[in-house]
Structure formats: structure tokens, C-alpha cells
Amino acid sequence: MKTRLTGQLALLAALSVAIAACGGGATSPSPGGTATAPTATGTPGTTGTPGTSPGESPTAAQCPDSVQDQTVTMWSPLTGPDGDEMTALAGEYSAQNENGITVNHEPQADYMDVLRAGALGNQLPTMTVARVVNVGELVEANALQPFSDELLAIIGDDAASLFPENVWGPGEYAGERYSIPIDMHPLVMYYNRDLFSQASVEEPGAEPWTVAEFEAALQALEAGGVTPLAIGTHFQGGALFQTLIQQYGGALTNEDGTEVTYNSEAGVRAMDRLLQLRDDYSADISGAGDPEAQEYIGGSAAILFHGPWWITGMQDQTEFTGFAAVPQMGDEYAVWGGSHQFALTTSDPAQQAAAACWIAWMSENSVRWGAAGQVPARTSAREDPELAEIAPAISAIAASGPEVIILPQVPGIEDALWAQGFGPVVDRLLIEGVPDIQAALDEAAGRSQQIIDENAGARGG
Amino acid sequence: MRLFRGDPDDEAEGGLKQGPLLMAVQYILLILFGLFFVLPLIWMIVTALKPSPEWLTPNWIPENPTLNNFISVFADRSLPVARWFFNSFLIAGTFTILILIIDSLAAYAYARMEFRGRKPLFALLLATLVMPGIMFLIPNYITIAGLGWLGTYQGVIAPGLAGVFGVFFMRQFFLSLPRELEEAAYVDGASTWQTFFKVVLPLSGGALATLGVITFLTSWNDFLWPLLITAPNREMQTLPVGLATLQGAYNFDYGKLMAGALILSVPVLLLYVMAQRFIIRSISTTGLKG
Amino acid sequence: MTAQTADTVLAATPRGRRRRFNVTPYLFILPHLIFFGAFLGWPFFFGIYTSLFQFNFARPERTVFIGLQNYINLFDQSSIQFAAFWRSMLNTIEFIAWSLPPLVIGAIFLAVLLNGRFRGRNIFRTVFFAPYTLSVTAASVLWWWIFQPRGGLLNQFLSGAGFEGPNWLSTMPEAWIAITVCTVWWTIGFNTVILLAALQEISKDLYEAAAIDGASVVRRFWHITLPMLRPVLVLVITITLIASANLFGQPFIMTEGGPLQETEPIMFRIYNEGIQRQQVGSAAAMSIFVATVLLVLTALNFKFFGQKEAN
């Protein structure tokens, strides 16, 4: 109980926690954590030509000579150790580049609030790192400037071809390109190697497990006296639901995000499957703050599906963790995830060009970004054999990168779908059961639809 | 139980004797409640001394105790920790002094003076108290931006000076003061100003010190507003904002979090201890009490 | 304390004769009023103004006048705000019921306990106040961990004593108990310090006189202490009520509003509406509605506790 001033503090302190804590359902969680010494297992990289990969245009980006002596200020949500690698890359570029460009990485706690306020007060930096779901919102908040064709040319001859469609597409909003992908971060399968060998279960390889392999492993673990899974509510439950619904051929919305579709048959099957996995193979875990992760860390469960921001934590806190792509648990393959993107906040052309030069360099060298616990979005970086050395854990999950489900770029869509829509239904399913899943999903979908429609109305007006 | 203020200079405690049974009860209760307050704090300290992965293990004595969580804040030379401390002290200190002056002046008027519009004005003050703070954020930000005060100390301090709590607080204290002294002063020919400064304020040492500590704490811990105002100018960042940038965006480092929280709270606790001593001393030297 | 009015006092002032315009009070309130007008008064009325619009700060061309629609939505069952708003209102009222009594009565109790002269007084006073110096994040994370059902401090302790602790943060009403315990631990120091300061103002003579008359400890408390505390109690109850209504951080971190949105307070809704959906006008309407309810409660508080002068 405090005065109003500290009420505001509470508000934002909690905001920063929401973003900092292991992905509350309301915001789009993204992975984080720098990778420390690469002790985790991973598949050895394949040999190949470093730097480029077949299919990508071989032209490197060209920073125009006219761009000289600019200072680029870059905000980001990557506070603490999560952003150290980015700071290092920025420092390296600043020292190396021949155009006299200096890049200053300034992580911001609560970066959305800071950006929105900055837009109102006309105090924006040169550029920012943004979570892909925030791009539309930031455009609506007048915080972003589009990339012109000239700028895109600096980044690459055919910038779109450098990245898989799932992370490139959402960077376009209202017909303009507003962001360039940096990484994608899929849900990760963490598994306890000790418990696996105890139950004589073979570790997963570079390719995600098929349904059959997954089921076999679950049963073998159980037979070996091990609790196979740790499934909880809140973020994890919601992320698993989103993974499963796509694996059953469904989707949360239609392609442009105007129609809610998670109350389809695929949605019901996803709910059933989630419940079945929890009932058959997991202890009864619920609550905020990721207690299911603690269950796994404590050695009580063999497999944990969670955000990739746990990678560093797992490497620190457990000796036994292996990393793999989330298995196929349904009919097709898909996996929930997010993405970081570069976006411009300044309208000054010289500054914009300098930013584009930095983006180009960073993107070319984004195999290094794996050290930060992220999967580089650039195809060449993901296929770079160096990735296995820099970040074996990332290399192990890199294959699932292009399959990451990113929502259509509609401001506020994630909140409308998840926290105000299916999230509470998933929680209720796991905590006390839902007698009529179809009806519950219908009701939630109706609410999500209403919110999406009203949001669109407020924007279109 | 002692229901009257003790006078440290007075050997004889007055007519109220405290039986040994009552004293024992008092101490038992103090210790019981004290445990409730102190055990979680000890746990915080223990957690801050554990290296990061160990924080969840429920042992009270760390297996690998380390001062790293604290040191890493101060030792990293790229972090302007001294600057953060300086900014916080300057802002919180200035803010507290201004609040004490402005609010006690206003409170005295609302408590003791008759003037047109007193009641509706005070009601308006109270009305803003019940409004959720989120309402004031953006309009104030726009105002501060319009004044060109983004990234300045005054930009951080100014909106808080509108605060009603201090006025409310001092008003209630002034209301509970017996009027005899003020009336005596008037009779002696003192003006309102003189009465206020020479008679009322000295009697209010306890209340002012209490309000001072609370105000300092509020300003010291303030996060959101300084975050927004100092974003364009990192030199101005306060301690809570600076410490927040050390926390990973996606992962709590619980050991560091607890260490940071402890670092943040030490100055205020010291201030509180000093204020306690001041309150006790000020009470024992004023005329009317006891 | 006699029941003289301020009029009598002013009448004795050489300058302030009755009926003559006295500029002094206005000078006293002016510094505060300037800041108040700029940073509270203006946004307050501006907030009322925005509540009549579908307001857009970033793109003013999208601002649309909709009259009382934002308020009507709160009472319209078919609106998206309706169900969540009232659920969180009820949640908040529940929390106020849980937290107000311990925060006020407990604080009185603690202040009495800490008053007076005894060994270790400063240490105890510091310990009781220390939690209040922490940020909401630190305090909430701490208690989140203590209340963890599997492996948290409390359940570990209980299982050592032979009991099986409940799932504190995922069942009701345990979740409210957890949040209340955290809140009380964190903030009761604030109330206690204020009441302590008030207690220390009470004159010793009153107690001595009562003791000579043979009054017991309880009677002295009831007939001297409580009445003398009245004005400050009004403050403490009002502030506690407002702060409990503004609950946000603790459930955000400890339960994320769970188990099934049953600990989601009204500030969650306002934050979701205003910040996440960027529907500033709607959030303003919600805020004003909540504020009005609180204002009524505050007025009642004043009526019950504030009016009578001590005899």
C-alpha cells in the first residue's frame, strides 16, 4: 500500500517484470540469455562454404561512401546479459568500419513504453531492435520509419531472399517495409540426458522427432520409472497450444489476421492432445513464474518444452541438459516462437543510411548472434558450420527456425488472441478441466474476434 | 504496555509502572513479529550471496557463498554506478526538501485557516488521490516535453511536487495539534507566518521527519517516470533505472535481483535510522509534550 | 483540546480581521497549487475529457468523439470490457477485504508495541520498516518463491512439520492469502511508521491522569489513544484503501492474475485497455469510474472517523 506515485512504480516495475519474467502470456516472449562456454550437446556442423549458402545471392552489402561519421543510437529490449553480445557486435563494427560509423547499443527496460513516450516527445534514437509482434504497434505509435528501396539495397541486393518467409513477411505493415529480421526463437525441447540414459532412451538428433519417436520415448521413459514431461500453465501452456494447433493443421487466425480460427477442429484436437500429454506423462504443475521449469531443473522430469531464453539458464544450472527441436506431436510440423527485428526510428536520411550499413554488417555476421542464445534469421548464418562451434545448442534447434509460427502483423493481435482469448481456457483445462472444449473455445474466439474487430475499427477510423 | 512517549533524558518514567508480565508479553510479541519481518529479509540476503543457479535450493547457508552479485554492480567499469547514486541522491534529496516545504505550507492553510474555496479545493486534492496513476502519465510527459525538460533533473522532480499525500498527511497532523500554543502566539501579536515558523513547525518535527523519510523513499524507488524522462539522456539515469538495465530482458537473475534490491534499500534504511533518532531527540526537547 | 473554531483564532490576529480579505492563506497554498494545477489538476480534467473520446495520442486525427460510450460499455453486457471489468472489480473488492483489516489494525497494534522506551527499540523499528524500502518486484519475487508449492520455503517448512501445504498460488482462496501476506509484510511498515509518529505526539499527562483515576491499560487505549489517533487514522485508512485498490505488482508477479483470472485486479484491466490496446479514452473512463467509487468510500471514511473532535 503506497501513494499514487509508487502505484505508478508498481505498474511499471511489474511491466518490466512481465517482459523480464519467463514470458507472461500478454507480451510476446522472446528468447534470451547469452550462451556461455558451449558445453551443451548439439549436432556437429556440416561442412560447406562459410559465409554464403547455395541459393543466396553472393553480393555483400555496400555501404555508400557518402555515409561518413555518423553516430547510430540503437535502443533495444535486450537488457542485462541478453544484450551483451549485441553490444559487442556493435563495438566491433564501430571499430572496424571504414565509414566512421559508431553504433551505440542502449538497452531499455520497458522499451515499448520508452519508445511510445519518445515518439510523443520527439526524442527517438536512430533505430531500435523490436520484437516482431510489436512492429505494427510501434508504427501506429508513430515511432517507426519505413525502409526505402535504397536502404534495402544497402542491406542486400534482394534482401527478402536472405531470410525465410516466416520472419520476413511480418516485417511489412500497411504496405511498407518497417523491419529487418535479426533472429527467430522457437520453443525448445530441453531434455535430461542422465534420465534418458537411465531409461535407455536415445537422444534426439538434428531432425525433430517424429510422432512415433516421440511417443516411443515417452513410454520408454515411463517404463524406466521417470516422469517424462513437465507441463504447466500460463506461458508454457499457451505456447504449447499454439504449437499443437498448427501441428494439427489449424491456425490461430486466417492469413491476414482478421478472422479468428482457433476454435476449429484443430484447436479442439490441440487441447485434447495437451491435456492427454499432461495427464498421462506429467505431474500436476500450475502457476505463474514457470514452476514447470523448476520441476525439470530439479530433476523430476525428463523433458521440458520452453522458451529458448532458458538456454543459458539451463547451461548454468544443470549439467545434464541437452537441446533439441520440439518434436512433432501432431500431424504436421510447426513450432511456436518469436523474432527480433531491426527497425528505424529516425527520419534523417544520413542517419538512416548509417543504420542500414550497420544492419547489413550485423546481418552478414549474424552467425555470431547465436552466442546470445538466438537462432539467426539469415539463412546463410543458420547453415554456417561455424554456428555449431559458436553455439551448439542453437545449432541443434536451428532446423526448426523456418517453421516458427509468427502471427500476422496486426497491432494488439497477440494480446487479443492469447491473454484475452485462449490463454485462460488452456489454464482452466489444465487446472480444473473443461467439460465442453468446443464451447469454451468458441466463446474465447468470439471474444478475441470482437477485440480484433474493435481494434481495427479504432485504427481505421 | 507503554502507551506514552519515553523521554530518554528522564530517569523517572512517570506514574505508569510497567509490570514485568506486561514487559515480557511485549518482548515476546516483538520477537514473534520481528521474526515474520526479518526471516524473509535474511532469505533475501542469503539469496544475494548465492551464485545464480543456486538461488532455488532451500538452504539457509549458501554452499558456494559469493559476493559476486554485489561486486558485479560496482566493479563493471562500463556502468556509471556512481553517477546513478549521485542522480538518485540529488533528485530524491531535492524532492524531499521541496515537498516538506511546499506541503507543510499548504497543509497548514487547509488545517487552520479559513478562506474562500478551502473545502472544495481540498476535496479536489483528495479526488486526484483516488485516481489511478496511469491516467497522469502521458499528459505529464507531454507537458514536460513541451517545457523542454526531457532529460533534465527538473523534469524528473517537477510532477511529483503536485503530490497530495504530503499535504493530506501534514494537515492531519496539524489538526491533531492542540491550538493553545498557536492561540497564545496570536495573542502575543505574532503574524500567521511567524506562528507557523516559530511555533507550529518546531512542534511538527516528528511528522516532518516521518514524511521526509517516506517522501525520500518514494522518490528513491521511483522507476517508471525517471525511466521515461531519462531515456534520451543516459547521464541522468537514477539507480533503480540503472539497475533494471542489468537484469536480463528474458531471464531473471534472482541472485543479482536480490543484491540490487538490497543495494537500493540501504541508503533509505540509514536515513530512516537517522530520522528515528531525530524524532526522539526532537520530541524530548519540545515544551508541550510531557 | 477545545472545540474552538479557526474563526476565533483568526479574529485574534492583528491583521486578519473578520470579513477582510486575507491573502495569507492563498500564499500558503500557492506553491503547491501551482504544481498541482499543472501536473495533477490539468491531467485530471484532461482525463475526464479523453474519456468522452476514442482518444489517440500518437495520431490525433483518429480521435473520435463518442460521448458516454466508454462508460456505457462498462455496463453493457455485450461489450468486450464488461465481463473482465466487473470480474476484476470484484477481485479488487475481495482483496481490499482481505488486506485492509490487517494493514490498519495490525499497524495500530505494531505501533503501540513499538512505542515507548525499551531495549532494542531502534532495531525493532528498523526491522519492521525495512521491507517497505524494497521495490514491488523484489518483494513479490521473494514471496512468490516462499509460496511455491513444490520446493518453496513455506511448504518445505510445513512438510517438515508433517503437513502438506496447499498449492498456494494456484488455488483460491490461498492465492489471496499469499498475496495479502506479501502485501502486509511489504507495506505495513508504512502505516506503522505514521501511526507511531502520531502516538509519539500524545501527551504523557493524559495517560498519567487516567492512570491516577484507576483506568486499566485497555481503557486508556480505548478512551485516550484511539480518539487522539483519529485524524491520522483517517489518513491511514484512506491511503490503505486507495493503495489496495491500486494493487498491481504483487499478483502480476506471483500469480499473473491467476489461477483462473481470480486474482486479477482492476488495474490489470485498466493497464490492458490503456497500454496494450492503446484505448486511452476507455481506460480513462474505467479509471474515473473506479476513482468515483473510491471517492465515495473515502467520503464515508471521513464521515465515520473524521468528524468528531476528541473530547
Side-chain angles (χ1 to χ4, degrees):
Chain A
M1 88 110 249
K2 298 207 181 212
T3 64
R4 188 188 1 85
L5 284 172
T6 43
Q8 289 182 16
L9 145 79
L11 212 97
L12 189 57
L15 252 179
S16 66
V17 167
I19 299 171
C22 334
T27 56
S28 165
S30 315
T34 55
T36 51
T39 54
T41 61
T43 53
T46 54
T47 56
T49 338
T52 62
S53 67
E56 175 188 308
S57 97
T59 333
Q62 290 296 338
C63 191
D65 289 329
S66 54
V67 181
Q68 287 293 335
D69 298 325
Q70 295 284 331
T71 304
V72 169
T73 311
M74 179 175 79
W75 285 0
S76 84
L78 305 166
T79 53
D82 300 333
D84 285 350
E85 185 63 36
M86 183 62 84
T87 308
L89 286 167
E92 210 180 292
Y93 176 69
S94 303
Q96 265 190 20
N97 79 89
E98 287 160 9
N99 295 65
I101 301 174
T102 312
V103 178
N104 291 326
H105 176 215
E106 289 183 5
Q108 301 286 341
D110 292 326
Y111 89 114
M112 282 300 284
D113 285 333
V114 175
L115 278 170
R116 284 201 176 109
L120 282 179
N122 228 342
Q123 296 270 354
L124 286 171
T126 315
M127 58 183 291
T128 183
V129 173
R131 301 194 183 102
V132 68
V133 284
N134 292 142
V135 169
E137 293 169 345
L138 286 171
V139 175
E140 292 297 324
N142 256 340
L144 297 186
Q145 303 295 328
F147 283 89
S148 64
D149 289 331
E150 296 83 44
L151 294 174
L152 287 177
I154 296 178
I155 295 171
D157 262 1
D158 181 7
S161 67
L162 299 173
F163 308 97
E165 175 58 26
N166 64 337
V167 287
W168 177 255
E172 190 177 304
Y173 181 73
E176 304 244 35
R177 170 127 310 260
Y178 279 100
S179 69
I180 310 288
I182 306 174
D183 61 49
M184 67 271 276
H185 22 270
L187 212 58
V188 172
M189 176 169 120
Y190 304 93
Y191 62 92
N192 187 326
R193 294 202 305 273
D194 296 342
L195 292 180
F196 266 39
S197 66
Q198 178 189 321
S200 310
V201 174
E202 207 182 298
E203 294 184 26
E207 290 298 315
W209 271 344
T210 62
V211 187
E213 287 171 327
F214 180 53
E215 289 287 346
L218 290 177
Q219 277 155 18
L221 285 166
E222 242 197 343
V226 171
T227 309
L229 300 173
I231 293 187
T233 56
H234 289 87
F235 162 74
Q236 198 214 34
L240 279 175
F241 171 73
Q242 293 180 70
T243 303
L244 286 170
I245 190 177
Q246 289 256 349
Q247 290 198 353
Y248 284 112
L252 293 184
T253 66
N254 64 350
E255 233 185 273
D256 58 9
T258 52
E259 246 182 68
V260 176
T261 59
Y262 61 72
N263 55 336
S264 59
E265 193 197 315
V268 178
R269 287 182 70 195
M271 297 282 266
D272 284 334
R273 177 64 153 148
L274 182 61
L275 187 62
Q276 176 250 331
L277 286 173
R278 202 283 307 268
D279 284 344
D280 291 348
Y281 298 114
S282 167
D284 195 355
I285 312 166
S286 61
D290 302 336
E292 63 278 353
Q294 301 307 333
E295 185 85 359
Y296 167 83
I297 291 175
S300 307
I303 296 176
L304 173 78
F305 303 119
H306 227 294
W309 51 86
W310 273 103
I311 291 181
T312 323
M314 292 301 177
Q315 286 167 338
D316 280 345
Q317 301 183 37
T318 64
E319 302 263 310
F320 50 69
T321 299
F323 307 88
V326 164
Q328 183 174 330
M329 297 173 270
D331 303 336
E332 315 171 0
Y333 191 73
V335 62
W336 175 89
S339 163
H340 289 121
Q341 313 254 326
F342 283 124
L344 290 173
T345 51
T346 181
S347 45
D348 178 308
Q351 286 262 292
Q352 287 186 339
C357 293
W358 148 244
I359 293 174
W361 182 92
M362 195 274 173
S363 189
E364 272 176 19
N365 291 282
S366 57
V367 65
R368 306 262 308 275
W369 187 232
Q374 320 280 354
V375 177
R378 191 152 170 150
T379 311
S380 62
R382 256 176 303 113
E383 294 169 2
D384 190 331
E386 242 193 281
L387 186 61
E389 283 155 59
I390 293 177
I394 297 297
S395 150
I397 62 175
S400 54
E403 314 301 328
V404 170
I405 311 156
I406 309 259
L407 291 172
Q409 189 62 259
V410 177
I413 197 175
E414 200 193 36
D415 181 64
L417 293 172
W418 193 340
Q420 313 304 326
F422 63 76
V425 183
V426 172
D427 284 353
R428 187 171 314 123
L429 178 79
L430 294 174
I431 292 181
E432 62 184 30
V434 172
D436 186 344
I437 292 180
Q438 182 69 63
L441 282 180
D442 285 338
E443 193 208 339
R447 193 166 46 242
S448 296
Q449 185 72 58
Q450 205 181 355
I451 297 176
I452 290 176
D453 290 341
E454 277 195 33
N455 285 350
R459 281 195 309 275
Chain B
M1 221 177 277
R2 297 193 159 212
L3 292 174
F4 64 93
R5 216 178 345 93
D7 189 339
D9 296 326
D10 191 358
E11 287 289 67
E13 286 303 330
L16 283 166
K17 287 215 188 77
Q18 181 142 346
L21 181 63
L22 226 44
M23 277 222 77
V25 168
Q26 184 178 10
Y27 269 109
I28 290 176
L29 287 172
L30 277 171
I31 291 177
L32 278 179
F33 285 110
L35 281 177
F36 170 65
F37 284 98
V38 98
L39 283 178
L41 287 174
I42 293 181
W43 182 258
M44 269 186 72
I45 298 175
V46 165
T47 303
L49 292 173
K50 288 180 180 167
S52 180
E54 220 195 292
W55 83 279
L56 273 170
T57 54
N59 40 340
W60 287 86
I61 307 196
E63 271 168 26
N64 303 312
T66 167
L67 284 177
N68 227 358
N69 291 325
F70 295 94
I71 294 178
S72 66
V73 173
F74 293 101
D76 187 344
R77 254 174 270 131
S78 72
L79 299 177
V81 183
R83 183 85 210 188
W84 295 341
F85 263 105
F86 173 75
N87 289 332
S88 278
F89 267 115
L90 185 63
I91 289 173
T94 313
F95 183 69
T96 302
I97 293 171
L98 288 175
I99 284 279
L100 287 178
I101 297 173
I102 293 175
D103 286 4
S104 51
L105 280 173
Y108 189 63
Y110 291 115
R112 290 292 204 235
M113 302 185 197
E114 284 276 325
F115 56 93
R116 285 228 355 227
R118 181 183 72 161
K119 276 211 168 98
L121 205 49
F122 192 67
L124 177 63
L125 258 57
L126 286 185
T128 62
L129 209 52
V130 298
M131 286 285 273
I134 187 175
M135 292 270 323
F136 303 102
L137 205 60
I138 296 295
N140 281 344
Y141 184 85
I142 295 175
T143 305
I144 295 287
L147 288 168
W149 284 358
L150 285 179
T152 64
Y153 288 121
Q154 58 268 33
V156 179
I157 293 176
L161 294 175
V164 169
F165 173 74
V167 180
F168 191 12
F169 179 87
M170 289 312 296
R171 174 189 183 264
Q172 301 306 102
F173 264 90
F174 289 145
L175 281 179
S176 66
L177 285 180
R179 297 177 192 252
E180 289 92 43
L181 276 188
E182 291 162 77
E183 286 162 8
Y186 286 132
V187 164
D188 283 348
S191 71
T192 319
W193 295 93
Q194 289 171 323
T195 312
F196 179 68
F197 281 106
K198 298 230 170 87
V199 175
V200 176
L201 272 193
L203 285 178
S204 310
L208 285 173
T210 305
L211 180 62
V213 172
I214 291 173
T215 304
F216 188 88
L217 176 60
T218 304
S219 175
W220 182 262
N221 275 348
D222 200 8
F223 179 76
L224 174 52
W225 183 254
L227 173 73
L228 294 181
I229 298 294
T230 63
N233 184 357
R234 300 199 112 198
E235 288 287 291
M236 319 270 332
Q237 276 184 346
T238 57
L239 198 53
V241 176
L243 287 178
T245 61
L246 296 182
Q247 278 298 320
Y250 306 105
N251 258 326
F252 261 159
D253 187 326
Y254 293 97
K256 286 216 173 75
L257 180 71
M258 294 299 158
L262 288 167
I263 293 174
L264 257 181
S265 68
V266 162
V268 188
L269 273 178
L270 288 177
L271 184 69
Y272 175 69
V273 169
M274 281 169 21
Q276 276 296 303
R277 300 239 169 102
F278 170 76
I279 291 175
I280 291 164
R281 208 170 300 129
S282 86
I283 287 170
S284 71
T285 55
T286 57
L288 190 62
K289 306 304 170 77
Chain C
M1 214 149 97
T2 57
Q4 281 183 313
T5 63
D7 273 346
T8 327
V9 168
L10 264 182
T13 314
R15 276 194 297 190
R17 301 273 153 73
R18 253 193 221 143
R19 300 256 153 87
R20 190 177 133 189
F21 179 72
N22 190 354
V23 77
T24 311
Y26 297 101
L27 290 179
F28 269 69
I29 63 173
L30 191 63
H32 176 254
L33 222 48
I34 293 175
F35 287 101
F36 176 79
F39 297 110
L40 276 183
W42 144 250
F44 177 64
F45 289 108
F46 186 66
I48 297 177
Y49 175 74
T50 59
S51 73
L52 302 173
F53 289 78
Q54 202 172 59
F55 206 88
N56 193 323
F57 275 108
R59 300 188 180 227
E61 66 272 13
R62 298 235 186 104
T63 297
V64 178
F65 177 73
I66 55 174
L68 294 176
Q69 189 59 44
N70 283 326
Y71 295 93
I72 294 173
N73 284 340
L74 299 181
F75 296 94
D76 174 6
Q77 278 195 337
S78 66
S79 80
I80 58 179
Q81 290 89 349
F82 180 81
F85 180 76
W86 289 107
R87 180 184 57 227
S88 57
M89 277 294 275
L90 288 174
N91 289 343
T92 305
I93 291 172
E94 220 183 310
F95 175 69
I96 293 176
W98 275 105
S99 65
L100 196 62
L103 280 173
V104 176
I105 299 174
I108 297 176
F109 186 73
L110 285 179
V112 165
L113 209 54
L114 289 170
N115 196 18
R117 193 168 91 99
F118 55 90
R119 286 271 223 60
R121 165 178 59 177
N122 278 333
I123 299 177
F124 278 109
R125 285 184 181 177
T126 308
V127 160
F128 284 30
F129 183 71
Y132 187 69
T133 64
L134 298 173
S135 70
V136 63
T137 309
S140 304
V141 168
L142 181 63
W143 284 94
W144 171 86
W145 184 83
I146 293 177
F147 279 110
Q148 274 304 292
R150 309 161 80 87
L153 198 58
L154 182 59
N155 276 6
Q156 290 239 336
F157 173 72
L158 286 176
S159 72
F163 301 100
E164 194 191 320
N167 190 334
W168 290 102
L169 301 176
S170 297
T171 41
M172 302 297 288
E174 283 88 343
W176 275 136
I177 297 177
I179 293 176
T180 304
V181 168
C182 168
T183 306
V184 170
W185 179 86
W186 181 44
T187 64
I188 202 172
F190 178 82
N191 286 357
T192 306
V193 154
I194 293 177
L195 288 169
L196 191 57
L199 277 180
Q200 289 172 326
E201 305 285 318
I202 299 177
S203 162
K204 212 162 74 174
D205 300 336
L206 287 171
Y207 290 114
E208 285 178 10
I212 290 172
D213 284 347
S216 69
V217 172
V218 175
R219 284 207 73 184
R220 289 202 297 266
F221 178 74
W222 205 254
H223 289 280
I224 300 175
T225 313
L226 273 189
M228 297 289 286
L229 280 182
R230 232 198 182 103
V232 176
L233 255 186
V234 169
L235 170 81
V236 166
I237 294 176
T238 304
I239 297 295
T240 307
L241 179 66
I242 293 173
S244 289
N246 275 308
L247 176 74
F248 188 91
Q250 298 90 297
F252 203 85
I253 293 173
M254 293 173 78
T255 61
E256 281 180 32
L260 295 169
Q261 300 173 297
E262 288 158 304
T263 57
E264 205 181 83
I266 190 64
M267 288 310 297
F268 267 41
R269 281 296 111 210
I270 295 179
Y271 159 72
N272 175 259
E273 194 75 0
I275 306 268
Q276 289 187 314
R277 287 193 66 218
Q278 288 282 300
Q279 298 301 317
V280 179
S282 178
M286 286 182 181
S287 300
I288 288 166
F289 180 80
V290 172
T292 309
V293 171
L294 282 177
L295 207 53
V296 169
L297 290 175
T298 303
L300 286 173
N301 182 26
F302 266 79
K303 240 201 164 90
F304 274 130
F305 290 96
Q307 281 309 72
K308 304 200 201 105
E309 295 266 275
N311 31 338

